[in-house]
Amino acid sequence: SGPVIGFLSGEPGSRGHIYRVENRISALIGEPAGVFRIDPRLQSPEDIASACDLIIVFRRQMDVWFERLAGRAQGSGVPLVFDIDDLVFDPELMVPDVFRFLEDKPPEVREEWQMRARGYRAALQAASHGWATTQALHDEMLNVQPRVSVLKNGLSDHHLRKGQQLEPRGAGRGIVIGYASGTPTHDHDFAHIARPLAQLMRTFTDVRLEIVGPVGPQALGPLMDLGARVSFLPLVDYFSLPGILSRFDMNLAPLEP
């Protein structure tokens, strides 16, 4: 009785996919709308454009299949929204001075990211609308696509219920400061707070640091001298993360200037 919405994900294994695709599908359960995941291996662009009233594309690069989809959607008057959650659609920014992840990477990796940026940019241009996670990203997207809206990330009802069921952290362990890196692209962010954090821990001996996910030794700096007071956990899956965060008294999210 309602619209049919198709979701096409270019990165189904990413955490962004959970926020931008799965959480939205979850939110539409019980609503008068038809929802399905588009699989380019099984469905033609022409069939998708004929079946959908709205097509949402998350972080997919331009290719022949997508070009056909955008052309058919435009011809049929079906809105095609390109949704992205990071500033990775400008090839000029995919350089080590800006995208720190590339600093120690070989030339072929840098070229791969620039090629990906060109693919994202072409897909954004071909879409009828763009969706961004933040106002800053919205403003950057306007340089490519004149029709952009902000739709912030959110949690699913399931995730919220799971978080509410977590027991508060028990007393007697001192103060636990936590840092969940998420990806290895944030070493420079953490490096900016490593020295003052180490000074704080030397002053207050009941403070411990728990690091979840990848952080390079150069980013840790003087924290490496604090021994067992700094503990490391491997990267955890998205649905296990609330249980880890509930162990922290303070959760760090540093950004370099």
Side-chain angles (χ1 to χ4, degrees), residues 28-85:
L28 289 166
I29 293 174
E31 298 295 328
V35 178
F36 68 96
R37 296 176 180 83
I38 299 170
D39 187 343
R41 299 169 299 178
L42 303 176
Q43 296 143 354
S44 73
E46 292 74 20
D47 287 344
I48 294 300
S50 298
C52 290
D53 299 293
L54 171 64
I55 302 170
I56 300 170
V57 180
F58 171 67
R59 205 163 168 154
R60 181 182 172 93
Q61 299 173 54
M62 174 62 81
D63 58 14
V64 173
W65 193 95
F66 186 94
E67 188 174 15
R68 284 171 53 197
L69 177 66
R72 181 53 65 96
Q74 182 180 19
S76 304
V78 177
L80 191 155
V81 179
F82 183 82
D83 184 20
I84 198 162
D85 58 348

Short mmCIF file of all heavy atoms in Angstrom, two decimals, residues 28-85:
data_model
loop_
_atom_site.label_atom_id
_atom_site.label_comp_id
_atom_site.label_asym_id
_atom_site.label_seq_id
_atom_site.Cartn_x
_atom_site.Cartn_y
_atom_site.Cartn_z
N LEU A 28 11.97 0.68 9.08
CA LEU A 28 10.81 0.61 8.19
C LEU A 28 9.92 -0.59 8.43
O LEU A 28 8.85 -0.71 7.84
CB LEU A 28 11.29 0.61 6.72
CG LEU A 28 11.85 1.94 6.22
CD1 LEU A 28 12.60 1.76 4.91
CD2 LEU A 28 10.74 2.96 6.06
N ILE A 29 10.38 -1.51 9.31
CA ILE A 29 9.54 -2.67 9.63
C ILE A 29 8.25 -2.18 10.29
O ILE A 29 8.26 -1.40 11.23
CB ILE A 29 10.29 -3.63 10.57
CG1 ILE A 29 11.48 -4.26 9.82
CG2 ILE A 29 9.36 -4.73 11.08
CD1 ILE A 29 12.36 -5.13 10.70
N GLY A 30 7.13 -2.65 9.79
CA GLY A 30 5.83 -2.22 10.32
C GLY A 30 5.26 -1.01 9.62
O GLY A 30 4.10 -0.66 9.83
N GLU A 31 6.07 -0.35 8.78
CA GLU A 31 5.57 0.80 8.02
C GLU A 31 4.95 0.32 6.70
O GLU A 31 5.30 -0.76 6.20
CB GLU A 31 6.72 1.77 7.73
CG GLU A 31 7.37 2.37 8.97
CD GLU A 31 6.43 3.25 9.76
OE1 GLU A 31 5.55 3.89 9.13
OE2 GLU A 31 6.56 3.31 10.99
N PRO A 32 4.04 1.08 6.13
CA PRO A 32 3.41 0.68 4.86
C PRO A 32 4.34 0.91 3.68
O PRO A 32 4.11 1.77 2.83
CB PRO A 32 2.17 1.57 4.79
CG PRO A 32 2.58 2.81 5.53
CD PRO A 32 3.47 2.35 6.65
N ALA A 33 5.43 0.16 3.64
CA ALA A 33 6.41 0.30 2.57
C ALA A 33 7.01 -1.06 2.26
O ALA A 33 7.15 -1.90 3.14
CB ALA A 33 7.52 1.27 2.98
N GLY A 34 7.34 -1.25 1.00
CA GLY A 34 8.07 -2.45 0.60
C GLY A 34 9.55 -2.14 0.55
O GLY A 34 9.96 -1.10 0.04
N VAL A 35 10.37 -3.02 1.11
CA VAL A 35 11.80 -2.77 1.20
C VAL A 35 12.54 -4.01 0.71
O VAL A 35 12.17 -5.13 1.06
CB VAL A 35 12.23 -2.46 2.65
CG1 VAL A 35 13.73 -2.24 2.73
CG2 VAL A 35 11.49 -1.23 3.17
N PHE A 36 13.56 -3.82 -0.10
CA PHE A 36 14.40 -4.95 -0.45
C PHE A 36 15.82 -4.50 -0.73
O PHE A 36 16.07 -3.33 -1.03
CB PHE A 36 13.83 -5.73 -1.64
CG PHE A 36 13.87 -5.00 -2.95
CD1 PHE A 36 14.90 -5.20 -3.84
CD2 PHE A 36 12.84 -4.13 -3.31
CE1 PHE A 36 14.94 -4.54 -5.06
CE2 PHE A 36 12.86 -3.47 -4.54
CZ PHE A 36 13.92 -3.68 -5.40
N ARG A 37 16.75 -5.45 -0.60
CA ARG A 37 18.16 -5.20 -0.88
C ARG A 37 18.42 -5.53 -2.35
O ARG A 37 18.11 -6.62 -2.80
CB ARG A 37 19.04 -6.05 0.02
CG ARG A 37 18.92 -5.72 1.49
CD ARG A 37 19.76 -6.69 2.33
NE ARG A 37 19.66 -6.39 3.75
CZ ARG A 37 18.68 -6.81 4.53
NH1 ARG A 37 17.70 -7.56 4.02
NH2 ARG A 37 18.66 -6.51 5.81
N ILE A 38 19.03 -4.61 -3.05
CA ILE A 38 19.33 -4.79 -4.47
C ILE A 38 20.63 -5.57 -4.62
O ILE A 38 21.65 -5.23 -4.00
CB ILE A 38 19.44 -3.42 -5.16
CG1 ILE A 38 18.11 -2.65 -5.04
CG2 ILE A 38 19.84 -3.58 -6.61
CD1 ILE A 38 18.21 -1.21 -5.48
N ASP A 39 20.60 -6.60 -5.43
CA ASP A 39 21.79 -7.40 -5.73
C ASP A 39 22.07 -7.30 -7.22
O ASP A 39 21.36 -7.92 -8.02
CB ASP A 39 21.57 -8.85 -5.31
CG ASP A 39 22.85 -9.68 -5.43
OD1 ASP A 39 23.78 -9.24 -6.12
OD2 ASP A 39 22.90 -10.77 -4.83
N PRO A 40 23.09 -6.54 -7.63
CA PRO A 40 23.37 -6.38 -9.06
C PRO A 40 23.68 -7.69 -9.78
O PRO A 40 23.59 -7.76 -11.01
CB PRO A 40 24.58 -5.43 -9.08
CG PRO A 40 24.53 -4.72 -7.77
CD PRO A 40 23.98 -5.72 -6.80
N ARG A 41 24.08 -8.71 -9.02
CA ARG A 41 24.38 -10.00 -9.66
C ARG A 41 23.11 -10.71 -10.10
O ARG A 41 23.16 -11.59 -10.97
CB ARG A 41 25.15 -10.89 -8.69
CG ARG A 41 26.50 -10.33 -8.25
CD ARG A 41 27.07 -11.12 -7.10
NE ARG A 41 26.18 -11.07 -5.94
CZ ARG A 41 26.41 -11.70 -4.78
NH1 ARG A 41 27.49 -12.45 -4.66
NH2 ARG A 41 25.55 -11.60 -3.78
N LEU A 42 21.97 -10.35 -9.50
CA LEU A 42 20.73 -11.07 -9.75
C LEU A 42 19.67 -10.24 -10.45
O LEU A 42 18.73 -10.79 -11.02
CB LEU A 42 20.15 -11.60 -8.43
CG LEU A 42 21.06 -12.50 -7.59
CD1 LEU A 42 20.38 -12.85 -6.27
CD2 LEU A 42 21.43 -13.75 -8.35
N GLN A 43 19.79 -8.90 -10.37
CA GLN A 43 18.72 -8.04 -10.86
C GLN A 43 19.27 -7.03 -11.86
O GLN A 43 20.38 -6.51 -11.69
CB GLN A 43 18.08 -7.29 -9.67
CG GLN A 43 17.39 -8.23 -8.69
CD GLN A 43 17.55 -7.78 -7.25
OE1 GLN A 43 18.25 -6.82 -6.95
NE2 GLN A 43 16.87 -8.48 -6.35
N SER A 44 18.50 -6.74 -12.87
CA SER A 44 18.93 -5.78 -13.88
C SER A 44 18.56 -4.37 -13.45
O SER A 44 17.59 -4.17 -12.70
CB SER A 44 18.25 -6.09 -15.22
OG SER A 44 16.87 -5.74 -15.17
N PRO A 45 19.30 -3.37 -13.90
CA PRO A 45 18.95 -1.98 -13.58
C PRO A 45 17.54 -1.63 -14.05
O PRO A 45 16.83 -0.87 -13.37
CB PRO A 45 20.01 -1.17 -14.33
CG PRO A 45 21.16 -2.10 -14.52
CD PRO A 45 20.55 -3.45 -14.68
N GLU A 46 17.14 -2.18 -15.18
CA GLU A 46 15.82 -1.86 -15.72
C GLU A 46 14.72 -2.40 -14.80
O GLU A 46 13.72 -1.70 -14.55
CB GLU A 46 15.69 -2.46 -17.12
CG GLU A 46 16.59 -1.81 -18.16
CD GLU A 46 18.06 -2.20 -18.03
OE1 GLU A 46 18.35 -3.26 -17.40
OE2 GLU A 46 18.92 -1.48 -18.55
N ASP A 47 14.88 -3.61 -14.28
CA ASP A 47 13.89 -4.18 -13.38
C ASP A 47 13.82 -3.40 -12.07
O ASP A 47 12.74 -3.18 -11.51
CB ASP A 47 14.20 -5.65 -13.09
CG ASP A 47 13.91 -6.54 -14.27
OD1 ASP A 47 13.20 -6.09 -15.19
OD2 ASP A 47 14.41 -7.69 -14.29
N ILE A 48 14.99 -2.97 -11.59
CA ILE A 48 15.02 -2.21 -10.33
C ILE A 48 14.28 -0.88 -10.50
O ILE A 48 13.44 -0.50 -9.67
CB ILE A 48 16.48 -1.95 -9.90
CG1 ILE A 48 17.18 -3.26 -9.54
CG2 ILE A 48 16.53 -0.98 -8.72
CD1 ILE A 48 16.53 -4.02 -8.41
N ALA A 49 14.57 -0.17 -11.56
CA ALA A 49 13.92 1.12 -11.78
C ALA A 49 12.42 0.97 -11.97
O ALA A 49 11.64 1.84 -11.58
CB ALA A 49 14.55 1.83 -12.97
N SER A 50 12.00 -0.15 -12.56
CA SER A 50 10.57 -0.37 -12.76
C SER A 50 9.86 -0.73 -11.47
O SER A 50 8.68 -0.40 -11.29
CB SER A 50 10.36 -1.50 -13.79
OG SER A 50 10.90 -1.15 -15.03
N ALA A 51 10.57 -1.39 -10.54
CA ALA A 51 9.94 -1.88 -9.32
C ALA A 51 9.91 -0.86 -8.19
O ALA A 51 9.08 -0.96 -7.30
CB ALA A 51 10.65 -3.15 -8.85
N CYS A 52 10.84 0.11 -8.21
CA CYS A 52 11.04 0.98 -7.05
C CYS A 52 10.39 2.35 -7.21
O CYS A 52 10.30 2.89 -8.31
CB CYS A 52 12.54 1.18 -6.80
SG CYS A 52 13.40 -0.28 -6.19
N ASP A 53 9.98 2.90 -6.08
CA ASP A 53 9.57 4.30 -6.01
C ASP A 53 10.70 5.17 -5.49
O ASP A 53 10.66 6.40 -5.62
CB ASP A 53 8.36 4.44 -5.09
CG ASP A 53 7.16 3.66 -5.60
OD1 ASP A 53 6.63 4.04 -6.66
OD2 ASP A 53 6.78 2.67 -4.95
N LEU A 54 11.70 4.55 -4.87
CA LEU A 54 12.87 5.26 -4.35
C LEU A 54 14.02 4.27 -4.32
O LEU A 54 13.86 3.13 -3.88
CB LEU A 54 12.60 5.79 -2.93
CG LEU A 54 13.78 6.37 -2.16
CD1 LEU A 54 14.32 7.63 -2.85
CD2 LEU A 54 13.39 6.70 -0.72
N ILE A 55 15.19 4.72 -4.77
CA ILE A 55 16.40 3.88 -4.75
C ILE A 55 17.46 4.61 -3.93
O ILE A 55 17.78 5.77 -4.20
CB ILE A 55 16.92 3.62 -6.17
CG1 ILE A 55 15.85 2.94 -7.03
CG2 ILE A 55 18.18 2.76 -6.12
CD1 ILE A 55 16.20 2.87 -8.50
N ILE A 56 17.98 3.93 -2.92
CA ILE A 56 19.01 4.49 -2.05
C ILE A 56 20.29 3.69 -2.27
O ILE A 56 20.32 2.48 -2.09
CB ILE A 56 18.59 4.44 -0.57
CG1 ILE A 56 17.29 5.24 -0.38
CG2 ILE A 56 19.70 4.98 0.33
CD1 ILE A 56 16.67 5.05 0.99
N VAL A 57 21.35 4.39 -2.64
CA VAL A 57 22.63 3.75 -2.95
C VAL A 57 23.66 4.21 -1.93
O VAL A 57 23.96 5.40 -1.84
CB VAL A 57 23.10 4.11 -4.37
CG1 VAL A 57 24.43 3.43 -4.67
CG2 VAL A 57 22.04 3.70 -5.40
N PHE A 58 24.20 3.26 -1.17
CA PHE A 58 25.20 3.61 -0.16
C PHE A 58 26.60 3.30 -0.69
O PHE A 58 26.93 2.17 -1.00
CB PHE A 58 24.95 2.83 1.14
CG PHE A 58 26.08 2.98 2.14
CD1 PHE A 58 26.34 4.19 2.73
CD2 PHE A 58 26.88 1.89 2.47
CE1 PHE A 58 27.39 4.35 3.64
CE2 PHE A 58 27.92 2.03 3.39
CZ PHE A 58 28.17 3.25 3.97
N ARG A 59 27.38 4.32 -0.84
CA ARG A 59 28.84 4.23 -1.03
C ARG A 59 29.23 3.21 -2.12
O ARG A 59 30.11 2.38 -1.91
CB ARG A 59 29.49 3.89 0.30
CG ARG A 59 30.94 4.34 0.40
CD ARG A 59 31.39 4.36 1.83
NE ARG A 59 32.83 4.51 1.91
CZ ARG A 59 33.48 5.04 2.95
NH1 ARG A 59 32.80 5.49 3.98
NH2 ARG A 59 34.78 5.14 2.97
N ARG A 60 28.58 3.31 -3.26
CA ARG A 60 28.94 2.45 -4.39
C ARG A 60 29.62 3.29 -5.46
O ARG A 60 29.18 4.40 -5.77
CB ARG A 60 27.71 1.76 -4.97
CG ARG A 60 28.05 0.83 -6.15
CD ARG A 60 26.82 0.19 -6.73
NE ARG A 60 27.12 -0.54 -7.95
CZ ARG A 60 27.42 -1.83 -8.01
NH1 ARG A 60 27.45 -2.55 -6.88
NH2 ARG A 60 27.67 -2.42 -9.17
N GLN A 61 30.67 2.75 -6.03
CA GLN A 61 31.38 3.45 -7.08
C GLN A 61 30.65 3.29 -8.42
O GLN A 61 29.92 2.33 -8.64
CB GLN A 61 32.80 2.90 -7.21
CG GLN A 61 33.64 3.05 -5.95
CD GLN A 61 34.96 2.33 -6.07
OE1 GLN A 61 35.73 2.55 -7.00
NE2 GLN A 61 35.26 1.46 -5.11
N MET A 62 30.88 4.25 -9.28
CA MET A 62 30.31 4.20 -10.62
C MET A 62 30.88 3.02 -11.40
O MET A 62 32.08 2.74 -11.35
CB MET A 62 30.61 5.51 -11.36
CG MET A 62 30.18 5.51 -12.81
SD MET A 62 28.39 5.30 -13.00
CE MET A 62 27.84 6.98 -12.69
N ASP A 63 30.01 2.32 -12.08
CA ASP A 63 30.40 1.28 -13.02
C ASP A 63 29.31 1.21 -14.09
O ASP A 63 28.37 2.00 -14.09
CB ASP A 63 30.61 -0.07 -12.32
CG ASP A 63 29.39 -0.56 -11.56
OD1 ASP A 63 28.29 -0.01 -11.76
OD2 ASP A 63 29.52 -1.50 -10.75
N VAL A 64 29.44 0.27 -15.01
CA VAL A 64 28.48 0.18 -16.11
C VAL A 64 27.07 -0.11 -15.58
O VAL A 64 26.08 0.47 -16.04
CB VAL A 64 28.93 -0.90 -17.12
CG1 VAL A 64 27.86 -1.12 -18.18
CG2 VAL A 64 30.25 -0.50 -17.76
N TRP A 65 26.96 -1.00 -14.60
CA TRP A 65 25.65 -1.37 -14.04
C TRP A 65 24.99 -0.15 -13.39
O TRP A 65 23.82 0.13 -13.60
CB TRP A 65 25.81 -2.50 -13.03
CG TRP A 65 24.53 -3.16 -12.62
CD1 TRP A 65 24.00 -4.30 -13.15
CD2 TRP A 65 23.62 -2.73 -11.60
NE1 TRP A 65 22.82 -4.62 -12.52
CE2 TRP A 65 22.56 -3.66 -11.57
CE3 TRP A 65 23.59 -1.66 -10.73
CZ2 TRP A 65 21.49 -3.55 -10.69
CZ3 TRP A 65 22.52 -1.54 -9.85
CH2 TRP A 65 21.49 -2.47 -9.84
N PHE A 66 25.77 0.58 -12.60
CA PHE A 66 25.23 1.77 -11.92
C PHE A 66 24.84 2.84 -12.93
O PHE A 66 23.81 3.52 -12.77
CB PHE A 66 26.25 2.33 -10.93
CG PHE A 66 25.73 3.45 -10.08
CD1 PHE A 66 25.19 3.21 -8.83
CD2 PHE A 66 25.76 4.76 -10.54
CE1 PHE A 66 24.71 4.25 -8.06
CE2 PHE A 66 25.26 5.80 -9.78
CZ PHE A 66 24.73 5.54 -8.53
N GLU A 67 25.63 3.00 -13.98
CA GLU A 67 25.31 4.00 -15.00
C GLU A 67 23.98 3.67 -15.67
O GLU A 67 23.16 4.56 -15.92
CB GLU A 67 26.43 4.05 -16.03
CG GLU A 67 26.29 5.18 -17.04
CD GLU A 67 27.49 5.28 -17.96
OE1 GLU A 67 28.28 4.31 -18.02
OE2 GLU A 67 27.64 6.33 -18.63
N ARG A 68 23.74 2.39 -15.93
CA ARG A 68 22.46 1.98 -16.50
C ARG A 68 21.32 2.25 -15.53
O ARG A 68 20.24 2.71 -15.92
CB ARG A 68 22.50 0.49 -16.85
CG ARG A 68 23.29 0.16 -18.11
CD ARG A 68 23.46 -1.32 -18.27
NE ARG A 68 22.19 -2.05 -18.20
CZ ARG A 68 22.10 -3.37 -17.99
NH1 ARG A 68 23.20 -4.09 -17.81
NH2 ARG A 68 20.91 -3.95 -17.96
N LEU A 69 21.55 1.97 -14.25
CA LEU A 69 20.52 2.20 -13.23
C LEU A 69 20.17 3.68 -13.15
O LEU A 69 18.98 4.05 -13.11
CB LEU A 69 21.00 1.69 -11.88
CG LEU A 69 20.04 1.93 -10.70
CD1 LEU A 69 18.76 1.12 -10.87
CD2 LEU A 69 20.71 1.58 -9.37
N ALA A 70 21.19 4.53 -13.09
CA ALA A 70 20.93 5.98 -12.99
C ALA A 70 20.18 6.49 -14.22
O ALA A 70 19.25 7.31 -14.10
CB ALA A 70 22.25 6.73 -12.82
N GLY A 71 20.56 6.02 -15.39
CA GLY A 71 19.87 6.45 -16.60
C GLY A 71 18.43 6.02 -16.65
O GLY A 71 17.54 6.81 -17.00
N ARG A 72 18.16 4.75 -16.27
CA ARG A 72 16.79 4.27 -16.28
C ARG A 72 15.95 4.95 -15.19
O ARG A 72 14.78 5.28 -15.42
CB ARG A 72 16.77 2.75 -16.09
CG ARG A 72 15.38 2.13 -16.10
CD ARG A 72 14.59 2.54 -17.34
NE ARG A 72 15.17 2.02 -18.56
CZ ARG A 72 14.79 0.90 -19.15
NH1 ARG A 72 13.81 0.18 -18.63
NH2 ARG A 72 15.36 0.51 -20.27
N ALA A 73 16.54 5.18 -14.00
CA ALA A 73 15.81 5.87 -12.94
C ALA A 73 15.44 7.28 -13.36
O ALA A 73 14.32 7.74 -13.14
CB ALA A 73 16.64 5.89 -11.67
N GLN A 74 16.39 7.97 -13.99
CA GLN A 74 16.11 9.34 -14.46
C GLN A 74 15.00 9.33 -15.51
O GLN A 74 14.08 10.16 -15.47
CB GLN A 74 17.37 9.96 -15.03
CG GLN A 74 17.19 11.40 -15.50
CD GLN A 74 18.49 11.97 -16.07
OE1 GLN A 74 19.39 11.24 -16.43
NE2 GLN A 74 18.56 13.28 -16.13
N GLY A 75 15.06 8.37 -16.42
CA GLY A 75 14.04 8.30 -17.45
C GLY A 75 12.66 7.96 -16.92
O GLY A 75 11.64 8.36 -17.50
N SER A 76 12.61 7.23 -15.79
CA SER A 76 11.34 6.81 -15.19
C SER A 76 10.86 7.77 -14.11
O SER A 76 9.79 7.56 -13.53
CB SER A 76 11.47 5.40 -14.61
OG SER A 76 11.91 4.47 -15.59
N GLY A 77 11.66 8.79 -13.80
CA GLY A 77 11.28 9.73 -12.74
C GLY A 77 11.38 9.16 -11.34
O GLY A 77 10.70 9.63 -10.43
N VAL A 78 12.25 8.15 -11.16
CA VAL A 78 12.43 7.52 -9.84
C VAL A 78 13.61 8.19 -9.14
O VAL A 78 14.73 8.19 -9.68
CB VAL A 78 12.69 6.01 -9.98
CG1 VAL A 78 12.95 5.38 -8.61
CG2 VAL A 78 11.52 5.33 -10.68
N PRO A 79 13.42 8.76 -7.95
CA PRO A 79 14.55 9.37 -7.24
C PRO A 79 15.62 8.32 -6.92
O PRO A 79 15.32 7.24 -6.42
CB PRO A 79 13.92 9.91 -5.95
CG PRO A 79 12.46 9.99 -6.23
CD PRO A 79 12.15 8.90 -7.20
N LEU A 80 16.86 8.67 -7.23
CA LEU A 80 18.00 7.82 -6.91
C LEU A 80 18.92 8.62 -6.00
O LEU A 80 19.49 9.64 -6.43
CB LEU A 80 18.72 7.37 -8.17
CG LEU A 80 19.78 6.27 -8.00
CD1 LEU A 80 19.96 5.49 -9.30
CD2 LEU A 80 21.13 6.85 -7.58
N VAL A 81 19.04 8.21 -4.76
CA VAL A 81 19.80 8.95 -3.75
C VAL A 81 21.15 8.28 -3.53
O VAL A 81 21.22 7.07 -3.27
CB VAL A 81 19.04 9.00 -2.41
CG1 VAL A 81 19.85 9.75 -1.37
CG2 VAL A 81 17.68 9.66 -2.59
N PHE A 82 22.22 9.05 -3.65
CA PHE A 82 23.56 8.55 -3.32
C PHE A 82 23.88 8.97 -1.89
O PHE A 82 23.89 10.15 -1.56
CB PHE A 82 24.61 9.09 -4.28
CG PHE A 82 25.99 8.54 -4.02
CD1 PHE A 82 26.35 7.30 -4.52
CD2 PHE A 82 26.91 9.25 -3.29
CE1 PHE A 82 27.61 6.76 -4.29
CE2 PHE A 82 28.18 8.73 -3.04
CZ PHE A 82 28.53 7.49 -3.55
N ASP A 83 24.14 7.98 -1.05
CA ASP A 83 24.35 8.19 0.38
C ASP A 83 25.79 7.85 0.72
O ASP A 83 26.28 6.77 0.36
CB ASP A 83 23.38 7.28 1.15
CG ASP A 83 23.44 7.48 2.65
OD1 ASP A 83 23.91 8.54 3.09
OD2 ASP A 83 23.02 6.57 3.38
N ILE A 84 26.49 8.76 1.41
CA ILE A 84 27.87 8.49 1.78
C ILE A 84 28.15 9.09 3.15
O ILE A 84 27.52 10.08 3.56
CB ILE A 84 28.86 9.03 0.72
CG1 ILE A 84 30.23 8.39 0.86
CG2 ILE A 84 28.92 10.56 0.75
CD1 ILE A 84 31.10 8.54 -0.38
N ASP A 85 29.08 8.46 3.89
CA ASP A 85 29.31 8.84 5.29
C ASP A 85 30.72 9.33 5.54
O ASP A 85 31.16 9.42 6.69
CB ASP A 85 29.01 7.64 6.20
CG ASP A 85 29.86 6.42 5.85
OD1 ASP A 85 30.50 6.42 4.78
OD2 ASP A 85 29.88 5.46 6.65
#
